[in-house]
Amino acid sequence: MTLSRQDLHRFIFSVHPYDSLLPADLADLVPLFQTVPVSAGDSIYQLGDPLEGLYLVHDGEIEITDENDIPVSLLGPRNSFGERGLTRNGMAVTSARATTDGLLLLLPRADFDALMARHSSVAKFFDRRRSDSRRGSNLATSRVETLMAGKPITCPTGTDVQSAARLMRDHRISSLCLTEKGKLSGIVTTRDLSGKVLAEGLPFDTPVSQVMTASPLTLSPSAIGSDVLHAMMEHNIGHIPIVKGGNLVGIVTRTDLTRFQAVSSAELVSAISRADTAADMARVTAEIPRLLVQLVAGGNRHEVVTRLITDIADTATRRLLKLAEAELGPPPVPYLWLACGSQGRQEQTGVSDQDNCLFLDDAVREADMPYFHALAKYVSDGLDTCGYFYCPGDMMATNPRWCQPVRVWQQYFQGWIAKPDPEAQMLASVMFDLRPIGGDRALFGNLQKKTLKAANRNSIFVAHMVSNSLKHTPPLGLLRGFTTIRSGEHRNQLDLKLNGVVPVVDLGRIYALQGRLTEANTRARLQAAETKGVISASGARDLLDAYDLIAETRLNHQVKRVNDGEKPDNFLSPTDLSDFERSHLRDAFVVIKTMQSAIGHGRGTLS
């Protein structure tokens, strides 16, 4: 199989982290890759061999095995292997073999090292992979409360065995906890029912208390994964109830441990990149809540967690674009799919909608538009199937307004800056977070820099944007309390997104506008604003600390929801926090309010 220069460029641009490179840098990089055809059974390298460089799978599957010849990964298209971080003194610590015919792209060792040295985004990506490979699943050090299934199914001890069996069948569980007034009395498993009831021919109305394990081994939520694993191995059991203050609060099973170890962002990305339908992808993205739990349990910072989760959405988008082209045929003119909102900022959590648009080459004709409308519908419908629900404000490429030639997009930005009415402010806020996902990146070109320059020079527009950014305020009440939602489903709760994260996102966007900063990620914007002097060093540190605390609190809340068997959301009851946590969260909100006040009065810094 041969690849044209254009095909090679398009493919490499579709792979992270190369999609973060500037067009000129990507153009310099592409010719350095060598094509390496492989046949099923071919050895790429063996344990202890010197590595030639970084391999990127274009087609086919590659099996990676450890020193005991046990498979550790099965890699498909867009997966990399052989990087220096996974070597020992330049020698491979694994073996790689082709399981199918395929094509690899090889970036020679010297060129890969130079790439890492020149581009921090690439270095961070591969350093993270190296860190992940060393850290493993973090099972041994993860707290039990992040592993357990919350709200376990229970029944009284007087329940008959047939009713107990039906409960287990209906809830698709392999054990049932027996309680009296919230206190754990025992546990019964499917093994108990088969070995003690069916095998002994006991009547179906036998009380479950006669076959349960009374006073079973339990652990507290503060135990760690290794405690669970060791207890299961020592006592040959597969279920451990979790008890706090004498009350049953959860249960951990061998399945929970297996699931925790199995989920990784790399595996999800790999599976999505090979999926043939949106339904196939949806089965993969359904694992995102468990991935969220694992990443937070592993001690990862919030910006790492959200970046890894966003990578999955990016991969799903690019895969859907490829599937759409396979169904619709090649595009009549070049296009670029861009994300805005949380995906654009690489800040997605366990719950996200989709915000996207299409840039089309100016050569597009009216007769070409049905193709792009069909492509947009295919991708947006696919993303919705994957759990990225449709944007309530219709900020999607399926809206003809957001599927336009580049010249029209230029007119949009010029018009919003020239006449900053409320709609223009809202649209500009969304569009300043644009990030290319798939297609011809050249179409984005220097539009961002030009727009930032023009917007920065228009003081009226900047003033309107500042005013618009102050509409979302922290939930601060009187007497050191919080202002919670007053009515509805989330009464007496805090919206950690709208009143916590969003105000900082808005501030970061204003700082980017004032400093002509091209970063889209909020944390990166705040750091860049400090470096460029847009905000003071002390103000930046305070705001970063406040943002980190709120973002971490939000993720921890979502993890708790997942462990309780519920969908993650952004609504937190202050009563779920300790006095210490409430005090610090309020302090974080005060910092944000202070920074909003400073920028609202024309002071861009906080000393």
Side-chain angles (χ1 to χ4, degrees), residues 16-20 120-122 124-125 128 265 269 291 295 301-314 342-343 345-349 435 521 555:
H16 188 68
Y18 313 112
D19 56 356
S20 65
S120 60
S121 61
V122 177
K124 287 179 181 178
F125 174 79
R128 184 184 72 210
S265 60
V269 165
L291 173 65
L295 291 173
R301 291 178 55 86
H302 71 90
E303 68 268 24
V304 174
V305 175
T306 55
R307 172 61 182 268
L308 293 176
I309 290 177
T310 305
D311 283 351
I312 296 170
D314 291 354
S342 60
Q343 185 182 1
R345 297 190 305 272
Q346 296 178 299
E347 294 168 1
Q348 288 189 315
T349 63
R435 182 171 61 88
N521 176 265
L555 287 185

Side-chain angles (χ1 to χ4, degrees), residues 235-474:
H235 299 283
N236 191 30
I237 55 177
H239 309 77
I240 297 183
I242 307 303
V243 174
K244 182 178 182 181
N247 295 317
L248 179 70
V249 295
I251 189 167
V252 179
T253 69
R254 283 181 177 170
T255 301
D256 294 324
L257 299 186
T258 301
R259 184 185 297 116
F260 182 89
Q261 291 176 296
V263 180
S264 75
S265 60
E267 290 298 326
L268 298 190
V269 165
S270 176
I272 289 174
S273 70
R274 302 194 304 270
D276 292 324
T277 66
D280 291 340
M281 293 184 209
R283 284 188 282 273
V284 180
T285 55
E287 294 294 325
I288 289 177
R290 297 307 309 175
L291 173 65
L292 173 67
V293 171
Q294 179 173 326
L295 291 173
V296 173
N300 292 285
R301 291 178 55 86
H302 71 90
E303 68 268 24
V304 174
V305 175
T306 55
R307 172 61 182 268
L308 293 176
I309 290 177
T310 305
D311 283 351
I312 296 170
D314 291 354
T315 303
T317 303
R318 285 190 285 266
R319 182 58 180 167
L320 287 166
L321 286 169
K322 185 172 183 178
L323 293 175
E325 288 189 23
E327 180 171 306
L328 302 172
V333 298
Y335 70 85
L336 178 63
W337 185 283
L338 302 100
C340 38
S342 60
Q343 185 182 1
R345 297 190 305 272
Q346 296 178 299
E347 294 168 1
Q348 288 189 315
T349 63
V351 51
S352 296
D353 62 355
Q354 52 176 296
D355 299 280
N356 46 60
C357 61
L358 269 172
F359 280 23
L360 309 178
D361 189 278
D362 283 337
V364 68
R365 302 169 301 166
E366 188 62 34
D368 299 326
M369 295 308 295
Y371 175 95
F372 292 108
H373 294 325
L375 180 137
K377 186 176 189 310
Y378 187 104
V379 176
S380 287
D381 286 352
L383 288 173
D384 182 70
T385 298
C386 292
Y388 305 101
F389 52 89
Y390 299 119
C391 174
D394 202 19
M395 185 66 69
M396 298 186 299
T398 49
N399 184 338
R401 187 180 185 185
W402 312 128
C403 177
Q404 294 289 340
V406 173
R407 65 176 183 276
V408 174
W409 282 101
Q410 292 173 332
Q411 293 168 6
Y412 283 165
F413 280 104
Q414 290 168 1
W416 295 334
I417 294 170
K419 297 180 180 180
D421 57 31
E423 184 190 39
Q425 297 168 39
M426 183 274 292
L427 294 174
S429 295
V430 174
M431 293 303 172
F432 274 128
D433 296 345
L434 282 176
R435 182 171 61 88
I437 302 297
D440 190 345
R441 190 187 180 99
L443 294 177
F444 196 47
N446 58 0
L447 176 63
Q448 185 185 35
K449 289 184 178 180
K450 283 185 176 180
T451 301
L452 283 171
K453 183 177 181 180
N456 175 271
R457 288 180 171 179
N458 188 324
S459 58
I460 296 177
F461 175 78
V462 173
H464 277 281
M465 287 290 289
V466 169
S467 176
N468 188 61
S469 73
L470 302 179
K471 292 180 179 178
H472 298 110
T473 57

Side-chain angles (χ1 to χ4, degrees), residues 212-234:
M212 73 180 186
T213 299
S215 302
L217 173 69
T218 65
L219 290 172
S220 73
S222 61
I224 58 177
S226 58
D227 295 332
V228 177
L229 188 58
H230 294 165
M232 286 183 174
M233 295 179 68
E234 179 181 353

Side-chain angles (χ1 to χ4, degrees), residues 48 56 77 88-91 151 168 170 227 239 276 302 335 349 356 415 417 421-422 544 570 581:
L56 175 61
R88 185 179 296 116
N89 297 324
M91 302 299 177
K151 298 182 179 179
M168 294 164 69
D170 294 344
D227 295 332
H239 309 77
D276 292 324
H302 71 90
Y335 70 85
T349 63
N356 46 60
I417 294 170
D421 57 31
L544 282 167
N570 298 301
E581 290 170 326

